[in-house]
Amino acid sequence: MKANINGITIAYTNSGTGDALVFIHAFPLSRIMWEPQIAPFSKQYRVITLDLRGHGESDALLWNFTLEDYAKDVYELLRHLNVQHATFIGLSMGGYILFTLYRLFPDVVKALVLADTRAQEDHEEGKAGRLSLAQTAYKEGPTSIADMMIPKLLAPTTIENRKNIVAQVRSMILNNQSSGIIVDLMAMASRPDSTSLLPQISCPTLVMVGENDVATPPSESRYIAQRIPHAQLATISHAGHLSNYEQPEAFNQALESFLSKKNNAHERQINVIQN
Ligand code: MLT
């Protein structure tokens, strides 16, 4: 499906009924990365995935957008779909966008799942890396970006033994335009530090990480989980950065267990209030 959101076309998928789960994808991918989650979770929840601006089937304008623009697209898409509150699941850049969304629109966030992400802003070396990758995207296009990113996105054993996953990730990257990739890199390089936000996050939160994640290693997730009050931490074995895609069963199990405990806790609270 497609909608006009903030003056551009945003592509999304909306399936199932119930409490809303909104999935925010990583760089430089698309909503296809959440396919292993859509069928299982839409049996019980309303599952919404979207191609962020610059990705997949959404418009890819070349301009100086920030992650605030991305977060505003998510918020306006939910208004378009009449969703007042949701649980948000973001992986890596998706997590950066969730920090921004929480800062701008805390009331829409019922719960957060922060997967394979980090709270710190980019340091000088990280920014220089983004500048160099943006030049590669501009001169050589998404094929070179795929060659450079796949070793960061997937665990070495996945690259070695699971050629279908490598091919699917490559195809997601190739279906993005250079303009979208460049805008992502500029937006991530200029994102604010979110470490001071962590102690202020008051909704139920699950932090997840692939045990072999090299892009945002498990130490980053421990850092986040230790600072968000009552956050839970789940480590996904035999997964790299794309933990939901490399090990969907383990990822889905951890997510399902978080969602059901959160719902039970909510029901217990209602019972206490009613008693
Ligand atoms: C991602 O997967 O979204 C990226 O690795 C994030 C980043 O480059 O910081």
Side-chain angles (χ1 to χ4, degrees), residues 98 126 130 170 177 201-202 259:
L98 291 188
R130 305 258 192 228
R170 175 173 291 278
Q177 299 176 44
I201 295 180
S202 59
L259 293 171

Side-chain angles (χ1 to χ4, degrees), residues 1 11-15 31 38 47-51 77 81:
M1 315 256 297
Y12 66 94
T13 308
N14 177 20
S15 39
R31 72 192 198 278
I38 294 179
V47 174
I48 296 164
T49 64
L50 72 149
D51 285 343
L77 175 67
L81 297 172

